[in-house]
Each structure stands twice: as structure tokens, then as C-alpha cells.
Amino acid sequence: SVIEKAASDNQAFNAALYTRLAAGKAAGKNLFFSGYSVSSAFAMLQAGARGQTAADIASALRFSLGDAELHPAMNKIALELESRAEAGGAGSDGKGFRLAMNNSFWGEKTTSWVPAYLDTLAVHYGSGINLVDFREDPEAAREKINAWTEAKTEERIKELLPPASIRSSTRFVLVNTVYFNAAWLEEFAAASMPFTGLDGATSPVDAIRNTSTDFKYAETEEAQVVAIPYEGRKLEMAVVVPRSLADFEAGLDGAKLDGLLAAPTPQNVAP
């Protein structure tokens, strides 16, 4: 289906983006990003692009679907993900399970926007146009965008756009936010365990441990994979532990990622 194709394309983009970001990551630093969020924002941009610009976006983001299929597919993926929250469940803070994805379009108020483009944003990305005064008051526009982002992420992201990032020459800003808060199906207990770093050195670290749940687990020639369910069993976190990180990263692509995520089966992974 087109939804499966869009999801597969996003997986290929995730792998490519990870490879690029990991190569430039400083030693000792962690890497965290949402490829889906990047894809959503650029899909909104793709809807308004034409010619070589549109082709370059599609190539970089791995979009293989045309506009007539891509945007409805992105909409259906978002609706499917958000429907997981409608089933209820607990959040990690006791306030209930939350999975919210929001898009917004911020446009210069003196610019004329193509109605068909705005219709695509509204119908498939749930985003109406927010008219702001980039030309005369870019700082006020920046503060409005940051306030919207802070509200949609329950105050987790307070300054998406740093000072001086918006100028009088700015004509539009596209924003995608993803907020996720869920409790584990079964809580973990605090523990102190040995951790082995990339240099082979082992040291004790504060950790969490769970031996009572039959997780989904798999071992391949390249990695160990475990899928940990969240409360309600609507979503799970997949953890991939490569046997050799360098070799794994060198050969990472969407197909490998798809295969690893499909491999785990229910079994007890307790030592």
C-alpha cells in the first residue's frame, strides 16, 4: 500500500540521516533525532516545491511517491500513530498516554500564498497558515513560533529558534513537533550493572532492569534486538545493540533496519 511505501521510504531516510549525523558526531556525545519529524516538515515543503527543487527534496528525503499519493499517505500515517493514544493507557507521569504530532506553517503576512498549497497543508498536515510580520518584526514572530512549539511539547522545547535565527528576509517557517509520553507495560527496577564502552573498558553504571516480562527478542550476525512494550501494548521501543558499532554503521540502510525491527519474537531475555 502507499502507506507502507511511505513508511519504508521514511525508514530508508532514517538510516541515511543516521549515517550522516553519526559521522559528524563528536566523540563521547549522544545522538538523538526523529527522522519522521524531519520527513513530515520536508513533505510540507515538498508540497509547494516545483522543478529541480522538488526533485532534490524527493531524492534527499527518499520520497518515491508522487504528490497525489505522498501527502495523503503522510496524513494516514499521522492519524494511525495518533490513534494509538485514543485507546487510553498511562503516561510516565501518571497523566495518561500521550502521542501528539503537530504541524504549523508561519508565513509573512505581506506575501501572497497559493491557495492550493495552503489547502494541502490544511487537509493533509492539519496546519492552517499563521500570518506573522517577519519583515518588520522578526523577533516577535520568532517568539510566537517558540511559544507554539513550547505549548505543543508540554514545555519540553522552550526555544526551538534561537536569537537571530529569524530575519526580516524570512518568508516562511515550517514546524513539526512530536510529543510522546508513555509508561512501560511493566516497570523496571533500579540496578547497578557493568557497562562496556566502545573502547572495551567496563565500569559500573546506574541502570534499570526487568526480568519479569517476555520481551520480543532476536539475535542476528550483526546485532541483538529487543522490543520493549509500553503500557497498552500499542507501541514499543526497539533497542538494537550491534556486535560491532563501526561495521554496523558502515552497512546501515533502510532494508537492514526493516529486517532488524521485524526479527524479534516473544521470549524471555533475562540472564
Side-chain angles (χ1 to χ4, degrees), residues 44-49 105 113-122 172 174:
M44 289 192 287
L45 183 62
Q46 169 79 358
F105 177 86
W113 301 101
V114 177
Y117 175 60
L118 299 182
D119 289 344
T120 297
L121 295 184
F172 70 92
L174 290 167

Side-chain angles (χ1 to χ4, degrees), residues 143-226:
E143 291 177 353
K144 287 180 180 179
I145 297 171
N146 282 346
W148 180 89
T149 305
E150 182 176 354
K152 294 301 182 181
T153 59
E154 296 195 12
E155 302 182 355
R156 295 318 195 270
I157 301 176
K158 296 182 179 294
E159 192 172 56
L160 174 68
L161 302 175
S165 59
I166 299 297
R167 301 178 175 84
S168 59
S169 59
T170 300
R171 289 298 169 263
F172 70 92
V173 173
L174 290 167
V175 181
N176 169 273
T177 65
V178 178
Y179 180 77
F180 176 69
N181 192 321
W184 297 116
L185 178 65
E186 295 191 25
E187 290 298 321
F188 286 71
S192 178
M193 303 177 68
F195 179 82
T196 303
L198 293 177
D199 60 0
T202 300
S203 59
V205 297
D206 292 332
I208 54 176
R209 179 173 178 153
N210 188 327
T211 60
S212 63
T213 298
D214 288 338
F215 299 123
K216 290 192 292 184
Y217 177 77
E219 291 190 22
T220 71
E221 293 182 356
E222 294 184 293
Q224 296 170 290
V225 191
V226 61

Side-chain angles (χ1 to χ4, degrees), residues 227-247:
I228 307 171
Y230 289 100
E231 202 274 341
R233 292 188 180 275
K234 296 296 182 180
L235 293 165
E236 58 191 20
M237 181 175 74
V239 179
V240 179
V241 183
R243 301 186 189 281
S244 166
L245 182 61
D247 292 344

Side-chain angles (χ1 to χ4, degrees), residues 52-74:
Q52 190 61 48
T53 300
D56 288 345
I57 294 173
S59 176
L61 275 294
R62 308 300 196 267
F63 294 149
S64 64
L65 299 172
D67 282 0
E69 294 180 319
L70 173 63
H71 306 303
M74 294 296 287

Side-chain angles (χ1 to χ4, degrees), residues 17 23 36 85 87 93 103 107 116 137 145 149 181 227:
L17 182 59
Y36 171 77
D93 54 6
N103 302 299
D137 198 349
I145 297 171
T149 305
N181 192 321

